[in-house]
Amino acid sequence: MLALGIETSCDETAAAVVDGDRRILASVVASQLDRHRLYGGIVPEVAARAHLELLQGLVRQALDEAKVGFADLDLVAATTGPGLIGGVIVGSTFGKALSLARRLPFLAINHLEGHALSPRLSNGISFPYLLLLVSGGHCQLLAVEGVGRYRRYGTTVDDAAGEAFDKAAKKLGLGFPGGPAIERAAKSGNAARFPLPKPMLGRPGCDFSFSGLKTAVAQAVEALGREPTAQEQADLAASFQEAVAASLADRTRNALRRFIDEHGPGHALVVAGGVAANTRLREVLAELARAHHNGFVAPPLALCTDNAAMIAWAGIERHALGEEDGLDVAPRPRWPLDAEAPPAPYAGAKA
Ligand code: KG4
Ligand code: ZN
Protein backbone atom coordinates (compact mmCIF):
# COMPACT_ATOMS: atom_id res chain seq x y z
CA MET A 1 0.00 0.00 0.00
CA LEU A 2 1.52 3.27 -1.14
CA ALA A 3 -0.18 6.62 -0.49
CA LEU A 4 0.51 10.12 -1.71
CA GLY A 5 -0.48 12.75 0.85
CA ILE A 6 -1.13 16.44 0.15
CA GLU A 7 -1.38 19.18 2.79
CA THR A 8 -2.27 22.82 2.04
CA SER A 9 -4.61 23.93 4.83
CA CYS A 10 -2.47 26.66 6.36
CA ASP A 11 0.92 28.14 5.49
CA GLU A 12 2.83 24.93 4.79
CA THR A 13 2.68 23.33 1.37
CA ALA A 14 3.50 19.65 1.79
CA ALA A 15 3.58 16.35 -0.08
CA ALA A 16 4.56 12.90 1.18
CA VAL A 17 4.72 9.26 0.20
CA VAL A 18 3.97 6.76 2.99
CA ASP A 19 3.49 2.99 2.89
CA GLY A 20 1.22 0.67 4.82
CA ASP A 21 4.10 -0.45 7.07
CA ARG A 22 4.40 3.05 8.56
CA ARG A 23 7.42 3.90 6.46
CA ILE A 24 7.74 7.51 5.36
CA LEU A 25 9.43 7.24 1.97
CA ALA A 26 9.40 10.99 1.47
CA SER A 27 7.95 13.98 3.28
CA VAL A 28 8.65 17.42 1.89
CA VAL A 29 7.39 20.65 3.43
CA ALA A 30 7.78 24.13 1.97
CA SER A 31 7.24 26.72 4.65
CA GLN A 32 5.84 30.00 3.40
CA LEU A 33 7.04 31.88 6.48
CA ASP A 34 9.18 34.32 4.56
CA ARG A 35 6.21 35.38 2.46
CA HIS A 36 4.07 36.08 5.55
CA ARG A 37 6.66 37.46 7.98
CA LEU A 38 6.40 40.85 6.31
CA TYR A 39 2.77 41.07 7.52
CA GLY A 40 3.40 39.70 11.03
CA GLY A 41 0.94 36.85 10.43
CA ILE A 42 -0.51 34.55 7.80
CA VAL A 43 -2.33 36.23 4.92
CA PRO A 44 -4.86 33.75 3.43
CA GLU A 45 -4.69 35.08 -0.12
CA VAL A 46 -0.88 35.00 -0.12
CA ALA A 47 -1.01 31.42 1.23
CA ALA A 48 -3.46 30.19 -1.44
CA ARG A 49 -1.35 31.62 -4.27
CA ALA A 50 1.81 30.13 -2.81
CA HIS A 51 0.20 26.67 -2.56
CA LEU A 52 -0.78 26.91 -6.19
CA GLU A 53 2.75 27.86 -7.16
CA LEU A 54 4.54 25.26 -5.01
CA LEU A 55 2.38 22.15 -4.90
CA GLN A 56 3.12 20.57 -8.26
CA GLY A 57 6.89 20.79 -7.73
CA LEU A 58 6.60 19.39 -4.22
CA VAL A 59 4.60 16.37 -5.37
CA ARG A 60 7.24 15.72 -8.03
CA GLN A 61 9.97 16.07 -5.41
CA ALA A 62 8.21 13.69 -2.99
CA LEU A 63 7.81 11.03 -5.69
CA ASP A 64 11.45 11.44 -6.77
CA GLU A 65 12.74 11.18 -3.20
CA ALA A 66 10.60 8.09 -2.63
CA LYS A 67 11.88 6.72 -5.95
CA VAL A 68 8.35 5.91 -7.11
CA GLY A 69 6.16 7.04 -9.99
CA PHE A 70 2.42 7.78 -10.20
CA ALA A 71 1.88 4.21 -11.39
CA ASP A 72 3.17 2.83 -8.06
CA LEU A 73 0.60 4.71 -5.97
CA ASP A 74 -2.46 3.00 -4.47
CA LEU A 75 -4.29 6.09 -3.28
CA VAL A 76 -4.25 9.88 -3.06
CA ALA A 77 -5.12 11.59 0.22
CA ALA A 78 -5.53 15.35 0.44
CA THR A 79 -6.52 17.67 3.28
CA THR A 80 -10.05 18.84 2.48
CA GLY A 81 -10.55 20.97 5.61
CA PRO A 82 -10.62 22.56 8.10
CA GLY A 83 -8.35 25.49 7.27
CA LEU A 84 -7.90 28.53 5.07
CA ILE A 85 -10.32 27.76 2.28
CA GLY A 86 -8.17 29.00 -0.62
CA GLY A 87 -5.39 26.59 0.27
CA VAL A 88 -7.77 23.73 0.99
CA ILE A 89 -9.33 24.17 -2.47
CA VAL A 90 -5.89 24.13 -4.14
CA GLY A 91 -4.74 20.91 -2.42
CA SER A 92 -7.98 18.95 -2.58
CA THR A 93 -8.60 19.86 -6.23
CA PHE A 94 -5.05 18.83 -7.11
CA GLY A 95 -5.60 15.50 -5.33
CA LYS A 96 -8.92 14.90 -7.06
CA ALA A 97 -7.46 15.65 -10.49
CA LEU A 98 -4.63 13.23 -9.86
CA SER A 99 -7.00 10.53 -8.65
CA LEU A 100 -9.19 11.00 -11.73
CA ALA A 101 -6.30 10.97 -14.18
CA ARG A 102 -4.60 7.96 -12.57
CA ARG A 103 -7.80 6.14 -11.53
CA LEU A 104 -6.73 6.07 -7.90
CA PRO A 105 -9.01 6.10 -4.86
CA PHE A 106 -9.34 9.61 -3.39
CA LEU A 107 -9.43 10.13 0.36
CA ALA A 108 -10.63 13.55 1.59
CA ILE A 109 -8.80 13.95 4.88
CA ASN A 110 -9.76 16.10 7.82
CA HIS A 111 -6.54 17.88 8.80
CA LEU A 112 -7.32 17.28 12.47
CA GLU A 113 -7.65 13.56 11.80
CA GLY A 114 -4.16 13.69 10.30
CA HIS A 115 -2.83 15.13 13.57
CA ALA A 116 -4.96 12.73 15.62
CA LEU A 117 -3.60 9.60 13.92
CA SER A 118 0.02 10.80 13.60
CA PRO A 119 1.24 9.03 16.78
CA ARG A 120 0.16 5.74 15.19
CA LEU A 121 2.40 6.51 12.22
CA SER A 122 5.38 7.61 14.34
CA ASN A 123 5.05 5.34 17.35
CA GLY A 124 2.60 2.64 16.29
CA ILE A 125 0.48 3.17 19.41
CA SER A 126 -2.90 1.51 19.74
CA PHE A 127 -6.31 3.04 20.49
CA PRO A 128 -7.54 4.61 22.66
CA TYR A 129 -5.38 7.58 23.66
CA LEU A 130 -5.85 11.15 24.80
CA LEU A 131 -4.59 13.82 22.44
CA LEU A 132 -3.72 17.41 23.24
CA LEU A 133 -3.57 19.18 19.88
CA VAL A 134 -1.93 22.58 20.18
CA SER A 135 -1.06 24.53 17.05
CA GLY A 136 -1.45 27.97 15.54
CA GLY A 137 -5.00 27.20 14.47
CA HIS A 138 -6.18 24.58 16.96
CA CYS A 139 -6.30 23.93 20.66
CA GLN A 140 -8.27 20.83 21.57
CA LEU A 141 -8.36 17.81 23.82
CA LEU A 142 -9.58 14.72 22.00
CA ALA A 143 -10.20 11.16 23.07
CA VAL A 144 -9.06 9.15 20.04
CA GLU A 145 -10.96 5.87 20.25
CA GLY A 146 -10.51 4.53 16.72
CA VAL A 147 -10.31 5.65 13.10
CA GLY A 148 -13.24 8.04 12.67
CA ARG A 149 -14.06 7.82 16.38
CA TYR A 150 -13.02 11.04 18.09
CA ARG A 151 -14.57 12.70 21.10
CA ARG A 152 -13.76 16.29 21.81
CA TYR A 153 -13.42 16.94 25.53
CA GLY A 154 -12.54 20.59 25.18
CA THR A 155 -11.57 23.35 22.82
CA THR A 156 -10.58 27.00 22.99
CA VAL A 157 -13.21 29.64 23.53
CA ASP A 158 -11.05 32.27 21.82
CA ASP A 159 -7.42 31.94 20.63
CA ALA A 160 -5.47 28.75 19.93
CA ALA A 161 -2.33 28.25 22.03
CA GLY A 162 0.04 28.91 19.12
CA GLU A 163 -1.96 31.98 18.16
CA ALA A 164 -1.49 33.24 21.74
CA PHE A 165 2.29 32.72 21.45
CA ASP A 166 2.29 34.60 18.15
CA LYS A 167 0.22 37.51 19.45
CA ALA A 168 2.17 37.82 22.71
CA ALA A 169 5.46 37.80 20.78
CA LYS A 170 4.16 40.59 18.57
CA LYS A 171 3.29 42.69 21.64
CA LEU A 172 6.76 42.02 23.05
CA GLY A 173 8.43 42.94 19.78
CA LEU A 174 9.86 39.44 19.39
CA GLY A 175 8.82 38.76 15.81
CA PHE A 176 6.94 35.98 14.00
CA PRO A 177 6.42 33.07 14.49
CA GLY A 178 6.10 33.80 18.17
CA GLY A 179 6.45 30.36 19.75
CA PRO A 180 10.13 29.73 19.03
CA ALA A 181 10.95 33.43 19.71
CA ILE A 182 9.26 33.34 23.12
CA GLU A 183 10.87 30.04 24.06
CA ARG A 184 14.31 31.41 23.12
CA ALA A 185 13.81 34.67 25.04
CA ALA A 186 12.34 32.86 28.06
CA LYS A 187 15.61 30.97 28.61
CA SER A 188 17.25 34.06 30.11
CA GLY A 189 14.07 35.34 31.77
CA ASN A 190 12.71 35.43 35.31
CA ALA A 191 9.13 34.17 35.25
CA ALA A 192 8.37 35.65 38.68
CA ARG A 193 9.10 39.30 37.81
CA PHE A 194 5.86 40.01 35.91
CA PRO A 195 3.12 37.78 37.33
CA LEU A 196 0.59 36.98 34.60
CA PRO A 197 -2.80 35.25 35.00
CA LYS A 198 -2.93 31.50 34.39
CA PRO A 199 -6.11 31.16 32.29
CA MET A 200 -8.90 28.78 33.40
CA LEU A 201 -6.79 27.35 36.23
CA GLY A 202 -8.89 25.29 38.63
CA ARG A 203 -12.07 25.60 36.57
CA PRO A 204 -14.00 22.41 35.81
CA GLY A 205 -14.04 21.05 32.25
CA CYS A 206 -11.40 20.97 29.53
CA ASP A 207 -11.89 24.21 27.60
CA PHE A 208 -9.13 26.75 27.02
CA SER A 209 -8.95 30.52 26.85
CA PHE A 210 -5.94 32.68 26.04
CA SER A 211 -7.21 36.12 25.08
CA GLY A 212 -7.11 37.44 28.68
CA LEU A 213 -3.48 36.40 28.99
CA LYS A 214 -2.67 38.12 25.71
CA THR A 215 -4.28 41.32 27.04
CA ALA A 216 -2.31 41.02 30.29
CA VAL A 217 0.94 40.90 28.29
CA ALA A 218 -0.12 44.02 26.36
CA GLN A 219 -0.97 45.80 29.61
CA ALA A 220 2.35 44.86 31.20
CA VAL A 221 4.16 46.32 28.19
CA GLU A 222 2.02 49.48 28.25
CA ALA A 223 2.67 49.92 31.98
CA LEU A 224 6.37 50.24 31.22
CA GLY A 225 5.58 53.36 29.23
CA ARG A 226 8.35 52.61 26.71
CA GLU A 227 9.76 49.77 24.63
CA PRO A 228 10.73 46.81 26.85
CA THR A 229 14.45 46.17 27.34
CA ALA A 230 15.86 42.80 26.28
CA GLN A 231 15.72 41.65 29.92
CA GLU A 232 12.08 42.76 30.26
CA GLN A 233 11.24 40.94 27.04
CA ALA A 234 12.88 37.81 28.44
CA ASP A 235 11.13 38.10 31.81
CA LEU A 236 7.71 38.62 30.22
CA ALA A 237 8.34 35.78 27.76
CA ALA A 238 9.26 33.45 30.64
CA SER A 239 6.16 34.44 32.59
CA PHE A 240 3.94 34.03 29.54
CA GLN A 241 5.36 30.60 28.69
CA GLU A 242 4.89 29.47 32.29
CA ALA A 243 1.27 30.67 32.30
CA VAL A 244 0.44 28.87 29.04
CA ALA A 245 2.14 25.65 30.17
CA ALA A 246 0.31 25.77 33.53
CA SER A 247 -3.02 26.40 31.84
CA LEU A 248 -2.55 23.63 29.27
CA ALA A 249 -1.46 21.22 32.01
CA ASP A 250 -4.47 22.11 34.19
CA ARG A 251 -6.97 21.50 31.38
CA THR A 252 -5.17 18.31 30.34
CA ARG A 253 -5.31 17.04 33.96
CA ASN A 254 -9.11 17.33 33.91
CA ALA A 255 -9.22 15.57 30.56
CA LEU A 256 -6.92 12.77 31.76
CA ARG A 257 -9.17 12.13 34.75
CA ARG A 258 -12.23 11.92 32.52
CA PHE A 259 -10.37 9.77 29.99
CA ILE A 260 -9.21 7.32 32.69
CA ASP A 261 -12.78 7.18 34.05
CA GLU A 262 -14.08 6.26 30.61
CA HIS A 263 -11.26 4.08 29.27
CA GLY A 264 -9.33 2.84 32.29
CA PRO A 265 -5.69 3.50 33.13
CA GLY A 266 -2.50 2.89 31.19
CA HIS A 267 -3.24 4.50 27.84
CA ALA A 268 -1.06 7.19 26.30
CA LEU A 269 -1.23 10.94 26.58
CA VAL A 270 -0.14 12.37 23.23
CA VAL A 271 0.77 15.96 22.37
CA ALA A 272 0.81 17.17 18.76
CA GLY A 273 0.78 20.45 16.83
CA GLY A 274 3.45 23.13 16.47
CA VAL A 275 3.30 24.18 20.14
CA ALA A 276 4.33 20.62 21.08
CA ALA A 277 7.84 21.81 20.13
CA ASN A 278 7.92 23.74 23.40
CA THR A 279 10.30 22.07 25.85
CA ARG A 280 8.65 23.50 28.96
CA LEU A 281 5.25 22.23 27.81
CA ARG A 282 6.66 18.77 27.14
CA GLU A 283 8.13 18.73 30.66
CA VAL A 284 4.87 19.56 32.41
CA LEU A 285 2.87 17.11 30.28
CA ALA A 286 5.36 14.27 30.79
CA GLU A 287 5.15 14.89 34.54
CA LEU A 288 1.35 14.91 34.41
CA ALA A 289 1.26 11.61 32.50
CA ARG A 290 3.71 10.07 34.96
CA ALA A 291 1.59 11.14 37.92
CA HIS A 292 -1.40 9.38 36.35
CA HIS A 293 0.63 6.29 35.31
CA ASN A 294 -0.02 7.01 31.67
CA GLY A 295 2.56 6.81 28.91
CA PHE A 296 3.57 10.07 27.26
CA VAL A 297 4.09 10.29 23.50
CA ALA A 298 5.32 13.33 21.61
CA PRO A 299 5.80 12.43 17.93
CA PRO A 300 9.01 13.76 16.36
CA LEU A 301 8.69 17.45 15.58
CA ALA A 302 8.49 16.95 11.82
CA LEU A 303 5.28 14.97 12.42
CA CYS A 304 3.95 17.36 15.09
CA THR A 305 3.93 20.41 12.85
CA ASP A 306 1.93 20.47 9.64
CA ASN A 307 3.08 17.83 7.17
CA ALA A 308 1.66 15.57 4.47
CA ALA A 309 2.92 12.25 5.88
CA MET A 310 0.16 12.35 8.50
CA ILE A 311 -2.38 13.03 5.74
CA ALA A 312 -1.14 10.09 3.66
CA TRP A 313 -1.25 7.91 6.79
CA ALA A 314 -4.83 8.94 7.62
CA GLY A 315 -5.68 7.97 4.03
CA ILE A 316 -4.09 4.56 4.53
CA GLU A 317 -5.94 3.99 7.81
CA ARG A 318 -9.31 4.93 6.32
CA HIS A 319 -8.74 3.01 3.12
CA ALA A 320 -7.86 -0.10 5.17
CA LEU A 321 -11.41 0.12 6.56
CA GLY A 322 -12.82 0.15 3.03
CA GLU A 323 -13.43 3.88 2.86
CA GLU A 324 -13.09 6.13 -0.17
CA ASP A 325 -14.48 9.57 -1.04
CA GLY A 326 -16.24 10.78 -4.15
CA LEU A 327 -14.75 13.54 -6.25
CA ASP A 328 -17.76 15.70 -5.39
CA VAL A 329 -16.70 16.02 -1.75
CA ALA A 330 -16.62 19.73 -0.89
CA PRO A 331 -13.64 21.54 0.68
CA ARG A 332 -14.60 22.79 4.14
CA PRO A 333 -13.20 25.79 6.04
CA ARG A 334 -14.74 24.37 9.24
CA TRP A 335 -14.96 20.67 9.90
CA PRO A 336 -15.09 19.54 13.54
CA LEU A 337 -13.73 16.04 14.11
CA ASP A 338 -16.41 15.31 16.64
CA ALA A 339 -19.74 16.40 15.13
CA GLU A 340 -21.52 15.65 18.40
CA ALA A 341 -19.33 17.91 20.53
CA PRO A 342 -21.14 20.91 21.96
CA PRO A 343 -19.94 24.20 20.49
CA ALA A 344 -17.30 26.04 22.53
CA PRO A 345 -18.97 27.98 25.35
CA TYR A 346 -18.61 31.54 24.02
CA ALA A 347 -19.11 33.38 20.75
CA GLY A 348 -16.14 33.63 18.43
CA ALA A 349 -15.03 30.10 19.25
CA LYS A 350 -13.24 27.91 16.73
CA ALA A 351 -14.43 24.55 15.44
O1 KG4 B 1 1.22 23.05 13.76
P1 KG4 B 1 1.85 24.29 13.24
O2 KG4 B 1 3.19 24.19 12.57
O3 KG4 B 1 0.91 25.02 12.22
C1 KG4 B 1 -0.44 25.23 12.46
O4 KG4 B 1 -0.76 26.23 13.14
O5 KG4 B 1 -1.27 24.42 11.99
O6 KG4 B 1 1.95 25.28 14.49
C2 KG4 B 1 2.50 26.57 14.39
C3 KG4 B 1 2.35 27.24 15.76
C4 KG4 B 1 2.72 28.71 15.70
O7 KG4 B 1 1.70 29.45 16.35
C5 KG4 B 1 4.03 28.78 16.49
O8 KG4 B 1 4.23 30.00 17.16
C6 KG4 B 1 3.87 27.62 17.45
O9 KG4 B 1 3.21 26.61 16.71
N1 KG4 B 1 5.17 27.13 17.94
C7 KG4 B 1 5.56 27.15 19.22
C8 KG4 B 1 6.90 26.68 19.25
N2 KG4 B 1 7.26 26.37 17.96
C9 KG4 B 1 6.19 26.65 17.18
N3 KG4 B 1 4.91 27.54 20.33
C10 KG4 B 1 5.59 27.46 21.49
N4 KG4 B 1 6.87 27.03 21.60
C11 KG4 B 1 7.56 26.64 20.51
N5 KG4 B 1 8.81 26.23 20.63
ZN1 ZN C 1 -2.09 21.49 11.89
Side-chain angles (χ1 to χ4, degrees):
M1 176 56 56
L2 206 59
L4 174 70
I6 292 170
E7 161 60 37
T8 55
S9 66
C10 193
D11 63 333
E12 266 100 19
T13 316
V17 179
V18 174
D19 78 9
D21 294 324
R22 307 190 2 241
R23 278 189 297 243
I24 301 172
L25 279 64
S27 179
V28 289
V29 181
S31 166
Q32 305 174 2
L33 267 185
D34 289 341
R35 300 176 191 231
H36 298 282
R37 207 185 305 272
L38 189 63
Y39 307 98
I42 295 159
V43 184
E45 178 67 20
V46 172
R49 284 167 190 265
H51 289 306
L52 199 54
E53 192 184 311
L54 296 168
L55 185 56
Q56 196 174 348
L58 279 181
V59 167
R60 183 74 267 161
Q61 191 186 336
L63 293 173
D64 288 349
E65 279 182 24
K67 298 191 174 59
V68 300
F70 287 119
D72 299 309
L73 296 174
D74 296 299
L75 67 89
V76 179
T79 299
T80 305
L84 301 174
I85 193 63
V88 172
I89 290 173
V90 170
S92 59
T93 306
F94 190 101
K96 287 175 185 178
L98 202 58
S99 109
L100 185 66
R102 292 281 163 176
R103 298 183 205 288
L104 293 169
F106 176 68
L107 278 294
I109 304 298
N110 182 317
H111 177 83
L112 300 171
E113 182 168 48
H115 279 301
L117 299 178
S118 63
R120 289 171 54 77
L121 169 61
S122 60
N123 297 59
I125 68 173
S126 50
F127 299 117
Y129 48 90
L130 179 68
L131 174 74
L132 171 65
L133 175 59
V134 272
S135 71
H138 302 284
C139 191
Q140 316 198 337
L141 278 155
L142 288 165
V144 183
E145 298 174 350
V147 177
R149 291 173 51 210
Y150 313 100
R151 287 173 54 225
R152 196 177 77 192
Y153 283 2
T155 186
T156 181
V157 300
D158 41 55
D159 294 343
E163 197 176 356
F165 270 97
D166 294 336
K167 289 178 176 172
K170 206 168 178 176
K171 305 241 181 291
L172 292 174
L174 286 172
F176 177 80
I182 287 195
E183 179 160 20
R184 219 174 303 123
K187 286 205 175 82
S188 51
N190 169 9
R193 176 154 164 224
F194 295 99
L196 292 171
K198 298 192 166 87
M200 308 292 265
L201 218 71
R203 291 227 210 145
C206 308
D207 288 323
F208 305 89
S209 168
F210 294 104
S211 75
L213 177 58
K214 172 187 69 188
T215 306
V217 171
Q219 284 169 343
V221 173
E222 270 166 38
L224 294 172
R226 51 172 170 72
E227 295 294 305
T229 62
Q231 190 56 51
E232 284 161 349
Q233 281 178 322
D235 293 341
L236 273 164
S239 185
F240 174 83
Q241 178 174 265
E242 207 48 48
V244 173
S247 178
L248 289 173
D250 180 81
R251 315 318 291 159
T252 306
R253 183 180 302 108
N254 287 354
L256 252 183
R257 287 183 180 148
R258 177 173 163 188
F259 183 79
I260 291 168
D261 268 355
E262 292 176 358
H263 300 283
H267 303 294
L269 168 65
V270 180
V271 65
V275 183
N278 190 277
T279 310
R280 180 69 190 127
L281 177 61
R282 285 183 182 227
E283 274 169 18
V284 297
L285 292 177
E287 177 53 38
L288 190 64
R290 208 166 22 245
H292 288 80
H293 308 289
N294 279 70
F296 176 62
V297 174
L301 221 53
L303 282 182
C304 269
T305 53
D306 285 350
N307 67 88
M310 69 180 188
I311 303 303
W313 177 253
I316 288 174
E317 292 245 43
R318 287 192 43 215
H319 189 258
L321 297 177
E323 293 183 28
E324 186 182 332
D325 291 297
L327 295 186
D328 56 349
V329 61
R332 296 177 63 173
R334 283 180 180 244
W335 185 1
L337 257 193
D338 177 356
E340 320 261 275
Y346 312 112
K350 318 226 158 171

